[in-house]
Structures are given as C-alpha cells and as structure tokens.
Amino acid sequence: MRFPIFLGFMLGLILGWFASAAPAWAGGPRWVTGVPYFTTEGVPVVWYTNQPLYFTDPGDLSSSVNHAAADAMVAAAAAVWNVPTANLVLAKGGALEEHVSGANAFAGANGPIFPADVQSGNYLAKQIAVIYDSDGSVTDLLLGDGASDPSGCLQSGVTESVDSIVPAGFIQHAIIIINGRCSGPAPQQQLQYQLMRAFGRVLGLGWSQTNDNVFTDSPQPTANQALHWPVMHPIDILCSTYTYQCMPQPFTLRPDDLSALAQLYFIDQGQAGPGQMDSLLNASRFLGHVQFATGQGMEGVNVLVRRWEQFTAPSQIEDWYTASSVSGFLFRQSNGDPITGPDLSFGGSQGAVDGGLEGYFNIQRIPMLPGSWQILVVETEAVNPLYTGEYAVGPYVANTVDPSGSDPVLEEGLYSSYTQSGVDFSPLNSAAVCDTDADGTEASPVAVAAQGWWSSLLCGYGHSAWSSLSVKANRSLTVEVTAEDEQGFATTAKAMPVIGLWNATDALGSLPGVSGVGEAFNGEGTGMTTLSSSFTQPDQLRIGIADERGDGRPDYNYQARVLYADSLSPAIVSAAGGTVTITGMGFRTGNEVTVNGVAATVLSWTANTIVATVPSISALDSSTGLVADVEVTDLSTGGTTVMTQALSYSTPVPILSLVSAPSGLVLVGQAAAVPFAVKVMSGDGVTPVVGEAVTFTAIAGAVQFSSCGGASCTLSTDGNGIASTLVTALSAGAITLQAMGVDGAAGASFNAVVRVQTAAAVQATEYVAAGAVVAWSPQLSVVDNFASTTGLMVGWQAGSGLVSVSPSNTQVNSQGVAETSATVGPLAAGVQALVSGCAWTNTCSTFTTIGVDLADLRIVAVNGAIQTVAANGSLTPVALQVTDTAGHPVAGALVEIYQAVDAWQAACPDRGRCPIAPILEASQSSAVSDANGLLTVVPQQISGSAETTDVAVATGTQGFLSFSLQKQP
C-alpha cells in the first residue's frame, strides 16, 4: 500500500493546499480521470469507500465554542450529505490524537507538515481530518500570515484540501480546517454553512450553475428560483452580514445537488440498502450531446431542465431550473499545446480525449412531479464568465467559452421513474465550417500572407496552424493573434491563442527554439495574444498558433498579423534627413515611425510600405554622421518592429537650397510677385549660415534684380540664412535664374511675356430696313493673354444716329464675351448709327448699323421650301431670310405672306384641257425679320388631306419669292 500512499502525497503537492484551485464540473464531479496520472479515463473521482469517516480535533474551536459545540456543528454540516438516493454515508469516526495548531504543524520544504495521524498516509485509519484552528495559526500557515483575521472569514472561515487521490481514481484522504477566529458567542450557522459546502467539495462535487440569476440578480429571482439555487453554487453573494442568509433553507440540498451526488454515488435499480432508495426511483435521467453543425461536440454549454407536469397547460411549466450539467464535463480539461508542450499538471490529467464525450452532458437525477410521467423542457446557456479558476464550472477552467449559435428550447419526451434517455442537438446557426486546409502543418508550414494579415480558425480538437517567414539580420518582429467570435468581433470568450517561434531547423515536436508565449491574452487589445522577438542573424522561421488548452472548435476564429519591417530605401540620407520608404508587412494607418527614438513624419501607409520623412541628424542630438535604428510601432496594440542600425546619415555639410522663385508666366517690365530666395544651412540641417555671399544672375534672358538694380547682384545671407531679391524680366521668352554661393547653387526658370489685351466686336455691322426700329445685342470678345477676363467690366456707349444701349455696363462671361441690348432706328436708307464697347477703359470696338433702302430688300429661302410628304403627313415650317442686294442679312423688314391650299391634282393629260384644282383654303399674314434677317413661315395645311400649299412672300418693293409644298395621296 505504500505505493498508492506515495502517489497520494505527490498528488497533494500537485494540487497544492488550495483545494478551490482544482477544477469543477457543473452539477457533477469535481475531478474526472484521465492519463497520464490516472489509469482510467472519463470516470468521476469518488471516495475509495462509500462510508468515509471524519475525525475531529480534540480541542476547543475557540473560547466561545467548546469541543462539544464544535463537534455538533460539524455533525450537522456532514449530515446534510447523507441522503437516501446516494450510496454514501458520511459519519464521525472519532477524534484526532491531538489538538492541531501552530505548535505541531509547520511548513516543510514540500508543503505543510502535520502530526502523523492527520497526514494522508494514515487514510485507512482516518479519512477526513477536521482541525479546530483555535488561534488561526494553521490557517495562517496554509493561506499566509494574517489570513485568519476575522475580517476575512467569508474566505478563510473554512479551508479544505483533498490531499490524496490515487491513480485508480479514488479519494483517500482530506483535511478540513475551521478557523476558530471566525467563531463567536452567536450560533455558528455561517461556519456550519461554509463547512457544509466544504464537505461537498471533499466528497468530490463540482460547482454548479443552476438558476444563476439568484447570483446575478438579472432577472430578479423568484422565491422558487432561490429555493432551487444549489448549495454547490460557485460564488456566494452577500445579502446581509452572513452569506448563508442569502439562501432560503440554507442547510437543505437542492435537486441539482442531489443529482450531482447521485452521479458520484449512484444506487442502481434494486441495489438500495437499508435506509436507501434507488437513485432513479421517482426520478429520471436526461443525457445527450450538444453539437456543432459539423458534428463536433460543443464543450462548455450549461444544459438545464425545467419540468412540465403531465396533463397541464404550458403555463404550468416550472419557472425555475431543477438541475443542470455542462457539456463535455467528462472531456479533457487541458491537452497541452505545441508552445508549452504536454500539460503535466494535475489538470492535464483531467478528463478523457474521447470525441464522444466532447459535447456530452448528463443530468443524473431529475425528481418526478406528481403523476406517472412528465415532460422536460431543456434549455442552454453560457457559463458565467466569472466562474473560472477556483470557481470554474465545467471543463473550461482558465476561461469560459460562449456557445455557438442561439440557445434552443426543447420539449423532450415523456419521462417516468427510472427513465434514462436524452437527445443530441445542435444550437440554431452554430458554426458549420471546419476548413483548415490552408493552415499548413509543423512539417510543412505555409508562407505568411504577403500583406502580413490573415484569418483562419483553430478547428478540430488539438489543431494548430503553422506558417513560415524569412527575416533579415538585425531585425525584430511582433506576431499578434486576436481571437474572434462568429461575427468577427474580438473576444476573450472563444479561443485562447498562444504563439511560438521556431527556427526552421528545430526538431519537429520540440518546444519553441526562438521564443514563445504560453498564456493567452497578454496583448493590449481585447482577445489578443502577442509575441515579439529579435534576430541578430538571418533566419527562416516557423510560426505556430494554437489554443492554450489544446482545444479546437469550428467557432475558434482568429485574425493573425506579423508586424515586420524588412528593408529601407534609401538606406543613406543627408544630415538634413529626407523621405524614406520602409518595406515589410503588417503595417496599417496610424503606425508610428521613430529613428533612434525620435518621431518621423509619416506621409502614407499601406500593408507593405510606409513612406516617412525622417528627422535631421541634429534632431538625433548628433553633429557627425551616424547609423540609426528605425522602429515601427502600432500604438493601438503596442506591437513593434525594429531595423537595427539600418539608416545611415551622411556627415553634415552646409547646403544652399532654393526657398522660392518666380514660375510660370511673368510679365515683361513688371516685378514678379514671388522673390528669388535661397537659404544656406549648416551641416546639421538646423543652424543657418549667416553672412555668406550669394550671387544672383540670369543665365538665359534679360532681367533686373531689384535689390541692386542690375543684371547681376551679390547679397549676404541674413540671420535666417536667407538671401532674397525680386526679379523684373526685361525681355520676352524663357528666363533662367541662378543663385550661387560657396556652399552650392540653386536655379529657377519662368517665361516672360508681353501683355496683349484686345476687345473685338463679334458682329461689327448690323443692317436694318429703312424706317424700322430694331432691338439687337452687340457682343464684344475680350481677350487677355496673361489673365482671365471673366468678370471684367465692359462699358457701352451710344454714338451718332438713332440708337440707345442698356445696360451701359456688363461683365465678361466665362466664354470671354460681354454683351448688352441696343435699340436702333428708324434710319433712312444709307444712314448709320454707332455703338461702342470698351474694356480696360480704353480698349474699344465700334458697332455700326446701316439703313437699307426698301427697294434693295430681297428674300431667299433658307430651308424647307421644297417639301413632298404623304397625305397623312405634316409639312414643316419654312425658314426665310431677308437680305440686301449684297446678301447682308437685314433686320426689321416687314414680309407679307400669302398662302393657298389647292386640292391635289395629278399631272395634266397629254391631250385636252388641264383641269383647274379647287382652292380649299387661303390666308394672308405678315412677319418681321429678326436681327439675323430670319423669319419662319408655318405652311397652311389640312390634316390627312392630299393637297398643294402655294406660298408667296414679298418685302420692300422688289423682294418676292414663291414656292409650292406637296402632300400627295
């Protein structure tokens, strides 16, 4: 028996003394067997005997609670767990051989050392040692100095430790310490309550989440929900001085507690002993699997049941949960990962690596309502994210995981006494894709995405993703992996990404040869894990991404990024700094660039390039050439990448540079608005050179420099290192300027032009019929070869003759034309009237109107005088124009119009008399020609009739025109 005893002792060291640090499964076992420590897998850990005995300290608990009162309190707490539906009897076996205190318990090299009969090696004689820590010294020994102080009694009133669990999966020994400093003259119900919960833990029960709104107060709990809040809830609430007062009937096990106890210490049908009853007598068992749409089991989902009594309406469904179980409670708690290696902790031996258990749940005992059967209403929920670590509910200890999809509500079966049945189901819209083909493997990693960003998922239990990357010497990089939910939002409630970096030559299966981060969420962003590493030599890397627990599911999405600056161009800049391009990957808008810690000005970002203006050498506190580090930092994540000794600054020398100069077009004879100016700076790019002689000349074209009035001019730089002069071009054409000093030269060029401004009449002469009064619009085209004329004001004036203009001032439009309205006449034949338009006051053009004798008027057809259409067609208007004998259009001419519509007649016969077609309609009208001599005649016609329209027009004394328009059948 010494071998199991030794293993039990070692297990106590593995677990430590804080039993609350061990994992727990909801409404079920605290521990589940698994390799390598245990010899079985997927089996709840229970006591090696179904009649474990406890032995109490022979001393008093405190000055106010003597030994007998303490024993009575312990007996009351233990008796709660003696129920007929569980094959377990917890009873007092006697007393310890001594009062345990700081006088006989002390810290050893491998943990606390107790008197021999309290140690785990004495488990056959004394299974559970209950210590009355009257002065708090044992509590301080275990939890730290001051832990026994009465102010901390809600945490340290009772401490329990299961210090011996053997590989066969049995509990052999446990210790419970009651802090005497937490007792007082009042009834010890608070200590009894804590002791009752400690006995539950010692018996192997895990924490449970059932009617959790009693804890969260959302929604506000009902009385029945409080009555069904399990004794083994993870975290107490404080509703008054003592936590036990938060529970109605605090010393009564709830159905969920009884279900958990029956799962550990089950009494099969017909196996009940005296004082016992079958665990499923007047009760049923509900089990099954929660699965993804892919078929993979979904761990960490709290499955709850409500009862619906037979032959009652849906409104009678209980509004509280009776019991619960977390899916995957028998599955592996932690499988290790490639970054940290196999999990050799006690938690790494918890649960079976069996896909059939991954989403498995089991509510062992659901009591029957009155009647022979009942319906179970099944619901699911996420585990409260507060329940982690020592308060963990379910197989996820380090972090809870939100279920995928929406929580279903199922109405299941007709469950009667002894029924053991269940259902497998998938939440609606659960993750349905598990495609990891593009992830690469450790032996064959895929190249990192060119932009440094990629998204994938850790799907399939134990899955890891592998990438490769080449890095240059003297570089550093940052790898960031952010866990995401199904909607793409960063989260800490899905995957727990960890990252490792290997040299490509590192052995497969080895731990990271470069660096690794084995704990998730160390980054600044939500759900982000980050790893930075630097390299002094070129390297080919393997990058591994995995889940910290070795888990993998279809909803473990992540976004990965490699922030890496690879090269710099140019790699050499002057002492004044300059613009460089950084090439790499993983960049984004907002990334900061520094040179030896001094900020550069970033001009643009892409995923693979950053263009920045680097600071001068003086900004780096140097006056000589140097080689600097260039760092890119993502301020939002803290990620960095450094190119060490990557940017060279030339040795500083003074530099003459152009500040400003005339450009484009410059008027001859007028000083350019922009001076020709240069600056001379010392080699640091900051300090101006004062008093340096600079000679200004024109190497092409003729100019005058205003500072000295000549074609050449020598000036000294001022206190800002600047020499400047205005320039006047003396000749048209290309002008090239030069400024030269001992520290260099600068040049500039422009075109000198002579200004030409014109104003020309668009139509200089207007002809009007003698005796007529005509309105027309004179238009003036205004051109300036140096500037736009749009908006320029033009003045209009009537000259000799009968003419007037209004308005007298108008602006040039965007087409370079100004116009006004003029009224002329009546004029006698040959008489003129004049109008003038002037821009820039004295650049003018004249418009002439001339009276035309009526005998000189003529009329011609412009279009439409020859038409032949079908009888059901329509004749179109005819355009005519009145001119003088020279063909000039004449405005204001009165035109008489005569029309007659004859019935259509075929051609005359070869012999005989040609019949005369009857006249169907006739009309007479008049029109006046416009400013362009034009007028329109609308043919008279009868709709749908075959006919001929004869038209005759006359103007003046000699102007006449006739034509016929045909509508043929």
Side-chain angles (χ1 to χ4, degrees), residues 4 29 171 281 366 726 929:
I171 304 169
L281 178 62
I366 306 167
L726 292 175
S929 60

PDB file of all heavy atoms in Angstrom, residues 4 29 171 281 366 726 929:
ATOM      1  N   PRO A   4       0.507   3.514  -3.487  1.00  0.00           N
ATOM      2  CA  PRO A   4      -0.599   4.449  -3.595  1.00  0.00           C
ATOM      3  C   PRO A   4      -0.487   5.608  -2.617  1.00  0.00           C
ATOM      4  O   PRO A   4      -0.872   6.724  -2.919  1.00  0.00           O
ATOM      5  CB  PRO A   4      -1.845   3.601  -3.318  1.00  0.00           C
ATOM      6  CG  PRO A   4      -1.415   2.188  -3.507  1.00  0.00           C
ATOM      7  CD  PRO A   4       0.034   2.141  -3.240  1.00  0.00           C
ATOM      8  N   PRO A  29     -19.114  15.940 -11.145  1.00  0.00           N
ATOM      9  CA  PRO A  29     -17.872  15.640 -10.431  1.00  0.00           C
ATOM     10  C   PRO A  29     -16.897  16.809 -10.400  1.00  0.00           C
ATOM     11  O   PRO A  29     -16.824  17.613 -11.325  1.00  0.00           O
ATOM     12  CB  PRO A  29     -17.286  14.471 -11.239  1.00  0.00           C
ATOM     13  CG  PRO A  29     -17.825  14.666 -12.623  1.00  0.00           C
ATOM     14  CD  PRO A  29     -19.205  15.235 -12.436  1.00  0.00           C
ATOM     15  N   ILE A 171     -10.474   8.982  -4.040  1.00  0.00           N
ATOM     16  CA  ILE A 171     -10.033   9.882  -2.986  1.00  0.00           C
ATOM     17  C   ILE A 171      -9.722   9.042  -1.755  1.00  0.00           C
ATOM     18  O   ILE A 171     -10.530   8.190  -1.350  1.00  0.00           O
ATOM     19  CB  ILE A 171     -11.123  10.920  -2.648  1.00  0.00           C
ATOM     20  CG1 ILE A 171     -11.543  11.699  -3.896  1.00  0.00           C
ATOM     21  CG2 ILE A 171     -10.666  11.863  -1.556  1.00  0.00           C
ATOM     22  CD1 ILE A 171     -12.789  12.537  -3.709  1.00  0.00           C
ATOM     23  N   LEU A 281     -35.490   6.114  -8.452  1.00  0.00           N
ATOM     24  CA  LEU A 281     -36.860   5.861  -8.013  1.00  0.00           C
ATOM     25  C   LEU A 281     -37.584   7.202  -7.945  1.00  0.00           C
ATOM     26  O   LEU A 281     -37.115   8.142  -7.294  1.00  0.00           O
ATOM     27  CB  LEU A 281     -36.873   5.177  -6.650  1.00  0.00           C
ATOM     28  CG  LEU A 281     -38.269   4.911  -6.054  1.00  0.00           C
ATOM     29  CD1 LEU A 281     -39.077   3.962  -6.955  1.00  0.00           C
ATOM     30  CD2 LEU A 281     -38.129   4.356  -4.643  1.00  0.00           C
ATOM     31  N   ILE A 366     -33.439  13.721 -12.023  1.00  0.00           N
ATOM     32  CA  ILE A 366     -34.466  14.760 -12.092  1.00  0.00           C
ATOM     33  C   ILE A 366     -35.705  14.219 -11.393  1.00  0.00           C
ATOM     34  O   ILE A 366     -36.337  13.263 -11.872  1.00  0.00           O
ATOM     35  CB  ILE A 366     -34.795  15.120 -13.545  1.00  0.00           C
ATOM     36  CG1 ILE A 366     -33.523  15.504 -14.307  1.00  0.00           C
ATOM     37  CG2 ILE A 366     -35.825  16.251 -13.601  1.00  0.00           C
ATOM     38  CD1 ILE A 366     -33.692  15.577 -15.792  1.00  0.00           C
ATOM     39  N   LEU A 726      13.716  90.548 -55.526  1.00  0.00           N
ATOM     40  CA  LEU A 726      12.683  90.499 -56.548  1.00  0.00           C
ATOM     41  C   LEU A 726      13.334  90.556 -57.919  1.00  0.00           C
ATOM     42  O   LEU A 726      14.455  91.065 -58.089  1.00  0.00           O
ATOM     43  CB  LEU A 726      11.703  91.656 -56.376  1.00  0.00           C
ATOM     44  CG  LEU A 726      10.810  91.607 -55.138  1.00  0.00           C
ATOM     45  CD1 LEU A 726       9.984  92.884 -55.032  1.00  0.00           C
ATOM     46  CD2 LEU A 726       9.910  90.386 -55.175  1.00  0.00           C
ATOM     47  N   SER A 929     -38.435  90.370 -89.973  1.00  0.00           N
ATOM     48  CA  SER A 929     -37.167  89.650 -89.858  1.00  0.00           C
ATOM     49  C   SER A 929     -36.458  90.036 -88.566  1.00  0.00           C
ATOM     50  O   SER A 929     -36.532  91.176 -88.114  1.00  0.00           O
ATOM     51  CB  SER A 929     -36.274  89.959 -91.065  1.00  0.00           C
ATOM     52  OG  SER A 929     -35.999  91.350 -91.152  1.00  0.00           O
TER      53      SER A 929
END
